[in-house]
């Protein structure tokens, strides 16, 4: 098979055309081609096959964000995030005469939110009834730990992630007293003894909430379980605090987020296995991406080897994929991010590698100059991927997928138009130089 090479060092004189090259004039480009006749053409007629796939699960442990909330999405249905965490003190030491005053949970906003923060939300704090451990020391968006069905506390609020620093949720005195006295009286001296009394908590949204999903920091200085206590003195009591925090442990994660969506009677219901692809022509010419729940857009170029039908030797100067989210699918409450991550997958949709060029990862970026009427279009430079596909000798059903950064600790979503749109369709724009053309 004739090999097509990829070059980004050659300057390009671009003429728009399709695969029919009969009307393209011959251009003399100069010494780079050793006095050969060169034609530089821009091709945009290759088929771009766009589909949706869904990961069976994605890793959410090891994240530095607590995600809690629920909202109803017109595409993904009920989207819900709950957080599971183990909290423990850095030191197990209290004065023997310390007296507990109160206990509460502090959650520091990390400025992340998704959907409508003007609506009332609920936080239900439940005690775990089992240790936060897993067989492989990894937790996923589908993982769960048993918990007491009766909330320890419920907090109703209107989120202000951009304007406020934190929330304070008061917890029952009796709950705090048992833990506090256990440490003070030397009955609890380490994490193993603590787990016999306190395995941790889960924070869940209200069952009927339709508001937003909020991000809180897991940093020990921002979110913690705080015990307020005093030391009796002859005149004024000293006021002190003891904090239980989420401790960083690379071996045994202490935090994960369960993130799910429920959308009955939808075309997305067919994605019950990671190996299934939902072509965009079968889903109203749309492809669906959502972080946290595991949806991603899958891209292939089934007609790319038609490039070999052009006579002569050729060099790919550039290859750019253009994808458009319909303007009606995003707004201030449901924003889209300005970049997309690109990873390669095999025929079973197992990730094989991230796409790199020149030692740097390749990202899709929004090019606002391409859109009309404030429309946004993603551009993805995929010359290195196209070159690989052209020179692949085996018939392999691989592809690449796109999804937002922070895929395991957000619920960002993007809806993309597929390959059969009337006003816009997913397009591969390829700039190609032909030289040593056969007469």
């Amino acid at each position: 098979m004739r090999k097509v090479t990829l070059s980004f060092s050659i300057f390009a004189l671009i003429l728009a055309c399709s695969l029919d090259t009969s009307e393209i004039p011959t251009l003399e480009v100069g010494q780079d081609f050793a006095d050969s006749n060169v034609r530089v053409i821009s091709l945009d007629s290759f088929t771009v096959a766009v589909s949706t796939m869904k990961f069976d699960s994605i890793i959410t442990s090891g994240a530095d964000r607590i995600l809690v909330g629920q909202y109803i999405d017109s595409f993904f249905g009920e989207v819900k995030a709950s957080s599971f965490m183990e909290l423990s003190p850095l030191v197990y030491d209290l004065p023997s005469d310390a007296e507990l005053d109160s206990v509460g949970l502090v959650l520091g906003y990390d400025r992340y939110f998704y959907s409508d923060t003007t609506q009332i939300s609920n936080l239900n704090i439940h005690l775990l009834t089992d240790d936060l451990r897993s067989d492989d020391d990894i937790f996923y968006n589908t993982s769960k730990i048993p918990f007491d069905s009766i909330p320890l506390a419920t907090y109703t609020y209107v989120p202000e992630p951009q304007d406020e620093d934190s929330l304070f949720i008061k917890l029952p005195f009796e709950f705090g007293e048992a833990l506090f006295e256990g440490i003070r009286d030397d009955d609890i001296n380490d994490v193993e003894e603590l787990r016999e009394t306190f395995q941790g908590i889960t924070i869940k949204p209200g069952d009927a909430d339709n508001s937003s999903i909020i991000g809180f920091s897991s940093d020990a200085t921002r979110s913690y379980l705080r015990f307020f206590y005093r030391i009796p003195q002859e005149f004024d009591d000293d006021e002190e605090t003891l904090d239980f925090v989420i401790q960083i442990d690379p071996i045994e994660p202490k935090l994960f987020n369960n993130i799910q969506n429920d959308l009955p009677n939808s075309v997305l219901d067919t994605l019950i296995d990671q190996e299934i692809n939902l072509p965009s022509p079968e889903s109203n010419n749309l492809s669906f991406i959502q972080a946290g729940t595991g949806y991603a857009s899958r891209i292939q170029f089934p007609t790319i080897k038609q490039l070999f039908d052009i006579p002569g030797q050729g060099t790919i100067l550039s290859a750019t994929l253009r994808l458009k989210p319909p303007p009606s699918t995003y707004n201030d409450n449901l924003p889209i991010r300005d970049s997309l991550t690109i990873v390669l997958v095999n025929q079973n949709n197992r990730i094989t590698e991230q796409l790199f060029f020149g030692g740097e990862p390749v990202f899709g970026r929004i090019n606002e100059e391409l859109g009309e009427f404030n429309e946004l279009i993603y551009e993805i430079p995929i010359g290195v991927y196209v070159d690989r596909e052209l020179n692949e000798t085996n018939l392999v059903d691989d592809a690449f997928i796109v999804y937002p950064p922070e895929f395991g600790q957000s619920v960002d979503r993007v809806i993309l138009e597929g390959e059969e749109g009337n006003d816009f369709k997913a397009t591969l724009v390829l700039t190609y130089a032909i030289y040593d053309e056969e007469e």
Side-chain angles (χ1 to χ4, degrees):
M1 178 177 292
R2 175 164 53 90
K3 184 175 181 179
V4 177
T5 59
L6 173 66
S7 172
F8 291 98
S9 63
I10 308 168
F11 63 90
L13 180 60
I14 303 173
L15 299 175
C17 67
S18 67
L19 279 175
D20 181 5
T21 62
S22 59
E23 297 181 359
I24 303 173
T26 298
L27 305 175
E28 297 289 343
V29 176
Q31 294 182 352
D32 280 352
F33 291 97
D35 298 326
S36 298
N37 288 334
V38 177
R39 292 189 290 162
V40 182
I41 58 178
S42 180
L43 310 170
D44 62 5
S45 61
F46 298 105
T47 299
V48 180
V50 183
S51 58
T52 304
M53 55 81 61
K54 184 182 182 184
F55 289 99
D56 293 334
S57 60
I58 56 178
I59 296 174
T60 61
S61 56
D64 55 9
R65 173 177 293 152
I66 299 166
L67 275 180
V68 186
Q70 178 174 286
Y71 77 98
I72 309 301
D73 189 281
S74 57
F75 293 101
F76 297 97
E78 183 182 83
V79 182
K80 180 178 183 179
S82 302
S83 197
F84 293 74
M85 65 196 72
E86 179 182 280
L87 298 152
S88 59
L90 296 175
V91 294
Y92 294 81
D93 183 37
L94 284 170
S96 60
D97 56 348
E99 297 179 0
L100 180 68
D101 283 333
S102 62
V103 60
L105 180 65
V106 176
L107 296 174
Y109 288 114
D110 81 342
R111 306 293 182 247
Y112 176 82
F113 69 93
Y114 212 75
S115 196
D116 190 356
T117 58
T118 66
Q119 301 300 312
I120 293 175
S121 295
N122 293 280
L123 298 177
N124 294 310
I125 316 300
H126 297 259
L127 292 175
L128 299 184
T129 57
D130 200 356
D131 295 345
L132 199 145
R133 296 181 180 178
S134 67
D135 293 337
D136 55 0
D137 296 323
I138 296 174
F139 291 100
Y140 304 87
N141 66 314
T142 55
S143 299
K144 294 181 181 180
I145 300 292
F147 59 90
D148 192 330
S149 61
I150 300 176
L152 180 67
T154 295
Y155 183 78
T156 300
Y157 75 122
V158 176
E160 297 184 84
Q162 301 298 311
D163 300 322
E164 297 292 335
D165 290 331
S166 62
L167 303 177
F168 179 78
I169 305 170
K170 189 174 182 179
L171 300 179
F173 182 85
E174 295 77 11
F175 156 75
E177 186 178 36
L179 294 175
F180 184 84
E181 292 183 353
I183 295 174
R184 184 195 63 189
D185 300 339
D186 291 331
D187 294 327
I188 300 175
N189 294 284
D190 55 41
V191 68
E192 291 300 328
E193 292 180 349
L194 177 64
R195 285 171 178 160
E196 294 178 6
T197 304
F198 177 62
Q199 289 81 28
I201 62 172
T202 177
I203 309 175
K204 306 178 74 64
D207 291 338
D209 284 2
N210 180 14
S211 50
S212 56
I213 291 179
I214 304 297
F216 300 97
S217 173
S218 66
D219 187 275
T221 64
R222 302 291 312 283
S223 296
Y224 40 83
L225 179 62
R226 172 157 288 183
F227 297 78
F228 298 88
Y229 68 94
R230 55 190 167 86
I231 308 297
Q233 302 291 331
E234 182 176 355
F235 298 104
D236 295 324
D237 293 348
D238 290 337
E239 294 182 348
E240 304 288 347
T241 59
L242 170 68
D243 291 342
F244 284 22
V245 300
I246 303 169
Q247 299 194 38
I248 298 175
D249 188 333
I251 305 301
E252 294 184 359
K254 307 302 183 184
L255 166 71
F256 74 91
N257 296 309
N258 177 282
I259 311 170
Q260 299 290 306
N261 77 304
D262 182 15
L263 185 57
N265 303 318
S266 163
V267 292
L268 295 179
D269 281 348
T270 61
L271 299 176
I272 59 175
D273 187 277
Q274 185 166 320
E275 297 182 10
I276 297 174
N277 300 314
L278 175 64
S280 60
E282 297 178 15
S283 54
N284 198 28
N285 195 48
L286 297 174
S287 181
F288 303 90
I289 304 171
Q290 187 175 51
T293 57
Y295 294 92
S297 286
R298 190 177 196 268
I299 312 293
Q300 288 182 301
F301 306 114
T303 63
I304 190 62
K305 291 193 176 181
Q306 289 181 6
L307 193 64
F308 291 131
D309 295 339
I310 301 176
Q313 298 296 313
T315 296
I316 299 173
L317 303 181
S318 68
T320 302
L321 176 64
R322 291 176 179 169
L323 301 169
K324 176 184 171 183
S328 61
T329 63
Y330 54 88
N331 52 47
D332 290 342
N333 288 331
L334 302 170
I336 58 174
R337 305 305 170 187
D338 59 3
S339 65
L340 294 173
T341 299
I342 318 299
V343 297
L344 308 187
V345 294
N346 62 20
Q347 66 272 17
N348 298 319
N349 288 334
R350 304 295 174 184
I351 294 177
T352 57
E353 61 183 296
Q354 187 170 0
L355 187 62
F356 280 79
F357 176 69
E360 298 294 330
V362 175
F363 289 95
R365 307 286 187 186
I366 289 177
N367 186 338
E368 296 184 4
E369 296 180 358
L370 292 175
E372 298 180 356
F373 308 109
N374 296 320
E375 295 178 345
L376 302 176
I377 295 178
Y378 286 102
E379 282 196 321
I380 307 175
I382 54 169
V384 65
Y385 176 80
V386 171
D387 183 59
R388 181 185 301 190
E389 289 296 290
L390 286 170
N391 294 296
E392 178 64 57
T393 57
N394 299 323
L395 188 61
V396 180
D397 187 30
D398 57 3
F400 69 87
I401 61 173
V402 299
Y403 54 70
E406 297 189 327
F407 197 55
Q409 56 176 338
S410 73
V411 291
D412 295 349
R413 68 158 172 81
V414 183
I415 315 300
L416 296 174
E417 296 197 35
E419 66 257 41
E420 296 185 351
N422 294 325
D423 299 326
F424 181 94
K425 60 183 179 180
T427 303
L428 173 64
V429 181
L430 193 150
T431 305
Y432 187 61
I434 308 167
Y435 57 98
D436 291 338
E437 186 171 0
E438 299 175 0
E439 297 294 337

